Amino acid sequence: MQKKNATVHLLILDPDQNDAESLVSLLRNSGKATRAHRITSEEDLEETLKAGNWDLLLARDLEQEFSADDALAMIRRMDKDIPFILLTEEESRERTVGMLKAGAQDTVPFVHKDLLVLKVNRELAALEDRRRRRVLESHLREAEQRCQLLLESSKDAIAYINDGMHIYANQSYLEFLGYDDIDDLICIPVLDTLTAESQGKYKEFMKSFAEKGEDGMTMNCTARRSDDHEFNVTMSVSAATYDGEACTQIVLQPEHSDAELEEKLRQISSQDLMTGLFNRQYLMDALAENIGEAGKKNQTGALAYIALDNFMSMKGQVGIAGADLLLSDLANLLKQQVDEEVVLARLSDDAFCLMCQPCDEKAMAEHAERVRKAVEDHLFDINGRTVQFTVSIGVAAITENSPKAEELMARAHIASSDVRKQEGHEQGNGVLVYNPTDYESLDEGNSIEAILKALEDNRFKLLFQPIINLRGEGEEHYEAFVRMLDKDEEEVSPYDFLPPMGPADTAIKIDRWVILQTIKQLASHRSRGHDTRLFLNITAETLQDQTFTAWLSVALKAARLPGDSLVFQIREGDANNYMKQAKEFSKAVHELHCKVSIGQFGCALNPFNTLKHIETDYVKIDGSFTEEIQKNDTAKEQVKEMVKTLQNSGKLTIIPLVENAGVLATLWQAGVNYIQGYYLQAPVPEMNYDFGDH
């Protein structure tokens, strides 16, 4: 399964080719698909910036004809949004301050590779946010234009006010109050459009709106037109923006006698009919609003998900009518346990919810514990029968960093379910606070331990993706991928969570597990008459493992598997970083009659240099080219030239990430030998692709 990360287009200013290559490899090893260009001169940088879009520039602070300062000045002069990081030879506060003032994003000592990766990740994320913001700002401008048209054509009388003065009014509003032109109303106070009796009422109303901030608040008052005619209206107010400035929107409507009925209907629509509590829709709307408030005011809140333990079993005992009585009694009990500021809602048959803001998860957990104990101690009388039951409560914090309402509700739900995983609470009856760090994906702090435990628990599995001969020669090739089941039973690649500078033996253990399991499955598959070859990806750690080929020889003999059924695939970055070891590895596995492939080819600054030193049979061109040849002709020509050069040197070429039929014609014309991708088949647990169809 290919990574979904977008390719990072990297510019490097470094007089040393090898150091520049090491930077490319560093980013690739950190999980970023990277395509790089090494800047050689001022003219080169200018042409490169004009010709394409770039995501990052790493510049060495060394003596060179075209300096890092010159490169930064050119980026600023051309007004390009390209993060610039200076790689210094030593830490210097003065140099850092000077570069930041000149427009650089950061500086980092060249030897601090781990720090560089973190800063690169930060700048790429910030760049993506800026690009997304620019798109959203464009959408916002379009939306504002549409809103303006809607305002102008609306039959509702709408105006915007600031500090009590009109700053905008649509045609309906002008007609409503008897004005011919917007210029006649601009800067007229709202108070002047009301009768003397309504002016005091209006002041109190707006003061209340400023304190509560509740959109849609209404007030009945008497308006006075420009011709001094008076009539009763309902004024509703909401927070708004106009020309980028915060203001208040007011809507005037003739006063309706059914306003009380409308308010009653609004209340009914937000209530659960059985219990009289708020319903799910009301709670989710209120939760979304509270999350927004937490972001604006940095104000925390908390949510508690109350799940009834073994409700379905209890429902079977007391019947549907009895269960309804039980839920009503429980709702009354919960009302007694909560304060006025706590929102209490019924979510479903067996779940209720508490929400409070301002509040924190600790206070909510204490509140939840009181609720839990009250339910446990209560004797419910259902048609003369005494019933007792318990609840499991999950608590989640509402903060400025909270996800959307649905995801936050899921957090509280997960915590309530995980109560049963606690010792002594197998049947529930507990309170658990959701801790985001317990549910985050693997990171450098826990990844090695998790990977080794998954190996011990046999939570690794193999997937196979076919590699098809584009010339229709019917060969059977697959690439093997390893997946690890994490604690949520989700499939992840263990390699993705190996720290770039993690223990070498962990990567070697994964490689050997994959190779051994693959050999077993391939031997069984070939025994059924299939002449199949498998591509196996190996890490830089295995390249450096002096004992590997001896171990491989024993494994092949034990399985009675011919060596030419395996193709060992080395990443281009690893081959460049460990050129001597890769050369020796290639020679050693060829002596066992195995084949060798270079993967992710074309991303190095001088990719063909790799092939001069390492004997290889296949070359898999980097997947970023597959995406780009569908977008521009320059990339098409680049791939065609690359394929032609490779084939002239006797290499078989593979193009991955083929996701649709549209790219096949280009690949055919380019002379590509093999293709691979989801268009043909996603990685699956069995080698079951019908190569005869192709």
Side-chain angles (χ1 to χ4, degrees):
M1 190 159 90
Q2 295 88 356
K3 284 178 177 281
K4 295 182 179 178
N5 295 348
T7 302
V8 176
H9 292 83
L10 172 68
L11 291 171
I12 300 176
L13 180 62
D14 193 325
D16 190 306
Q17 172 93 10
N18 292 331
D19 285 348
E21 291 280 11
S22 72
L23 291 173
V24 178
S25 297
L26 178 68
L27 294 193
R28 293 196 72 91
N29 291 339
S30 71
K32 299 205 175 301
T34 307
R35 294 267 298 284
H37 173 77
R38 178 167 163 258
I39 302 162
T40 56
S41 66
E42 181 178 0
E43 295 75 18
D44 177 34
L45 177 57
E46 186 167 4
E47 290 175 10
T48 302
L49 291 176
K50 290 177 180 177
N53 294 317
W54 298 92
D55 304 315
L56 179 68
L57 195 157
L58 300 178
R60 291 290 296 277
D61 197 18
L62 296 172
E63 284 289 332
Q64 46 190 321
E65 185 177 339
F66 182 55
S67 69
D69 300 76
D70 296 333
L72 178 57
M74 181 177 289
I75 288 176
R76 295 298 302 275
R77 175 171 59 80
M78 297 180 69
D79 198 22
K80 294 287 186 179
D81 185 7
I82 302 174
F84 184 103
I85 297 179
L86 182 71
L87 307 179
T88 60
E89 299 307 296
E90 58 185 23
E91 293 193 51
S92 167
R93 179 180 175 277
E94 291 76 14
R95 182 65 168 143
T96 298
V97 170
M99 290 303 291
L100 294 182
K101 285 183 176 180
Q105 272 60 46
D106 215 331
T107 66
V108 59
F110 180 72
V111 295
H112 294 172
K113 297 295 195 295
D114 51 353
L115 183 60
L116 174 59
V117 169
L118 293 173
K119 291 189 176 184
V120 165
N121 289 340
R122 181 195 66 198
E123 293 308 325
L124 290 175
L127 176 66
E128 180 61 27
D129 286 343
R130 290 196 298 275
R131 288 173 173 170
R132 194 177 293 124
R133 189 196 70 214
R134 286 194 284 266
V135 172
L136 292 175
E137 285 175 347
S138 174
H139 292 330
L140 177 61
R141 284 193 295 272
E142 294 172 2
E144 287 176 338
Q145 290 171 358
R146 289 194 296 271
C147 287
Q148 187 67 29
L149 291 173
L150 289 172
L151 282 171
E152 295 294 347
S153 60
S154 175
K155 293 182 179 179
D156 288 332
I158 303 172
Y160 288 152
I161 62 172
N162 192 4
D163 291 333
M165 309 289 282
H166 289 91
I167 57 175
Y168 166 82
N170 68 356
Q171 190 61 36
S172 297
Y173 191 93
L174 295 173
E175 293 174 357
F176 200 75
L177 292 179
Y179 289 89
D180 297 325
D181 191 270
I182 183 66
D183 292 334
D184 297 335
L185 188 64
I186 290 297
C187 295
I188 288 181
V190 176
L191 286 174
D192 288 358
T193 65
L194 301 174
T195 61
E197 294 77 12
S198 294
Q199 290 178 359
K201 189 177 180 182
Y202 168 79
K203 291 177 182 177
E204 288 297 319
F205 174 67
M206 294 306 291
K207 181 180 178 182
S208 176
F209 173 67
E211 292 173 353
K212 296 181 179 178
E214 295 178 4
D215 287 347
M217 290 179 63
T218 60
M219 172 189 82
N220 293 328
C221 57
T222 304
R224 184 174 61 199
R225 286 168 51 92
S226 60
D227 57 8
D228 291 332
H229 179 72
E230 298 178 1
F231 57 100
N232 295 330
V233 297
T234 298
M235 177 188 293
S236 62
V237 295
S238 303
T241 59
Y242 187 73
D243 280 345
E245 298 293 330
C247 61
T248 302
Q249 174 186 283
I250 62 174
V251 180
L252 298 182
Q253 294 177 322
E255 185 176 321
H256 294 297
S257 58
D258 58 355
E260 187 176 337
L261 175 61
E262 288 180 4
E263 176 61 21
K264 198 73 174 175
L265 290 172
R266 189 188 67 79
Q267 290 179 359
I268 291 173
S269 68
S270 66
Q271 281 185 344
D272 174 62
L273 297 180
M274 180 190 298
T275 62
L277 305 179
F278 289 117
N279 59 19
R280 181 185 184 86
Q281 185 58 52
Y282 176 88
L283 180 75
M284 296 308 290
D285 291 344
L287 177 57
E289 187 175 323
N290 278 0
I291 292 172
E293 285 296 304
K296 292 176 186 174
K297 301 179 180 179
N298 196 25
Q299 184 183 77
T300 61
L303 181 73
Y305 186 100
I306 305 171
L308 279 62
D309 296 324
N310 303 314
F311 178 72
M312 294 308 294
S313 172
M314 190 188 314
K315 191 174 183 179
Q317 296 173 21
V318 301
I320 296 175
D324 288 348
L325 287 173
L326 186 70
L327 291 170
S328 296
D329 287 351
L330 176 60
N332 290 329
L333 178 63
L334 293 176
K335 289 177 186 176
Q336 297 169 17
Q337 298 299 317
V338 300
D339 301 325
E340 287 185 5
E341 65 271 15
V342 176
V343 175
L344 175 59
R346 182 185 176 211
L347 297 182
S348 63
D349 274 356
D350 60 348
F352 292 78
C353 208
L354 306 177
M355 182 174 66
C356 184
Q357 188 165 327
C359 181
D360 59 37
E361 69 267 32
K362 183 179 178 181
M364 180 60 84
E366 293 171 354
H367 205 141
E369 176 57 30
R370 292 196 295 272
V371 168
R372 183 207 62 77
K373 191 169 189 317
V375 173
E376 181 185 27
D377 295 343
H378 192 76
L379 301 178
F380 293 88
D381 185 6
I382 308 300
N383 297 325
R385 178 178 178 177
T386 300
V387 175
Q388 283 184 284
F389 66 95
T390 60
V391 292
S392 296
I393 306 177
V395 176
I398 303 171
T399 70
E400 76 280 1
N401 200 36
S402 289
K404 293 180 180 177
E406 293 78 8
E407 294 177 48
L408 189 63
M409 180 63 72
R411 286 184 173 187
H413 185 206
I414 288 169
S416 74
S417 298
D418 284 356
V419 166
R420 295 170 179 79
K421 296 180 182 179
Q422 294 181 306
E423 187 175 349
H425 293 274
E426 290 75 11
Q427 299 302 314
N429 193 24
V431 176
L432 181 64
V433 176
Y434 181 96
N435 183 351
T437 59
D438 293 338
Y439 298 89
E440 287 176 352
S441 58
L442 300 173
D443 58 28
E444 291 190 15
N446 62 18
S447 58
I448 299 298
E449 182 182 345
I451 290 168
L452 293 177
K453 190 168 190 319
L455 268 173
E456 290 174 9
D457 297 345
N458 197 27
R459 293 169 66 82
F460 274 47
K461 61 186 288 189
L462 287 175
L463 300 177
F464 304 93
Q465 187 175 39
I467 298 174
I468 308 301
N469 191 314
L470 196 55
R471 307 294 145 180
E473 295 176 14
E475 302 165 281
E476 293 191 12
H477 291 79
Y478 290 93
E479 182 171 354
F481 300 94
V482 61
R483 292 292 174 264
M484 179 180 81
L485 295 176
D486 65 14
K487 61 187 177 185
D488 297 320
E489 301 299 317
E490 295 290 331
E491 291 184 3
V492 296
S493 170
Y495 294 116
D496 289 349
F497 299 101
L498 276 174
M501 300 172 189
D505 57 342
T506 304
I508 291 172
K509 282 181 181 178
I510 298 173
D511 282 355
R512 291 202 180 188
W513 184 93
V514 172
I515 293 166
L516 198 57
Q517 297 302 317
T518 298
I519 286 175
K520 290 178 182 178
Q521 290 200 37
L522 183 58
S524 173
H525 186 70
R526 286 173 67 96
S527 70
R528 295 191 288 273
H530 298 278
D531 184 19
T532 303
R533 282 181 177 169
L534 269 178
F535 282 71
L536 297 168
N537 296 285
I538 60 166
T539 59
E541 288 78 7
T542 292
L543 278 182
Q544 302 169 74
D545 182 6
Q546 298 291 328
T547 66
F548 175 75
T549 48
W551 173 85
L552 176 64
S553 176
V554 172
L556 288 171
K557 288 175 182 175
R560 297 182 179 178
L561 194 67
D564 65 0
S565 61
L566 297 181
V567 183
F568 289 98
Q569 191 157 262
I570 307 168
R571 293 191 303 175
E572 181 186 66
D574 293 337
N576 287 324
N577 287 341
Y578 305 97
M579 186 74 75
K580 181 181 176 183
Q581 294 92 330
K583 182 178 180 179
E584 292 172 354
F585 177 91
S586 177
K587 181 181 178 182
V589 297
H590 273 126
E591 289 175 357
L592 296 175
H593 305 291
C594 300
K595 304 292 184 182
V596 175
S597 171
I598 297 292
Q600 299 180 346
F601 183 81
C603 292
L605 297 173
N606 186 5
F608 288 97
N609 183 59
T610 310
L611 304 182
K612 293 178 183 177
H613 302 280
I614 300 173
E615 186 183 350
T616 181
D617 307 282
Y618 299 84
V619 172
K620 183 193 282 190
I621 294 172
D622 190 70
S624 60
F625 288 96
T626 315
E627 180 183 353
E628 291 186 8
I629 60 177
Q630 300 175 72
K631 297 179 180 177
N632 64 73
D633 293 335
T634 304
K636 286 183 183 178
E637 293 305 315
Q638 190 177 1
V639 170
K640 286 181 182 179
E641 188 62 33
M642 191 183 295
V643 169
K644 182 180 178 182
T645 305
L646 289 168
Q647 292 182 340
N648 286 343
S649 60
K651 314 300 180 189
L652 295 168
T653 54
I654 307 168
I655 292 285
L657 290 180
V658 176
E659 309 292 336
N660 56 69
V663 73
L664 293 180
T666 300
L667 299 180
W668 174 271
Q669 293 167 7
V672 171
N673 299 102
Y674 298 92
I675 58 172
Q676 174 187 11
Y678 278 61
Y679 173 67
L680 303 168
Q681 189 183 71
V684 294
E686 303 292 334
M687 289 180 272
N688 57 8
Y689 189 79
D690 186 358
F691 289 88
D693 288 348
H694 295 269

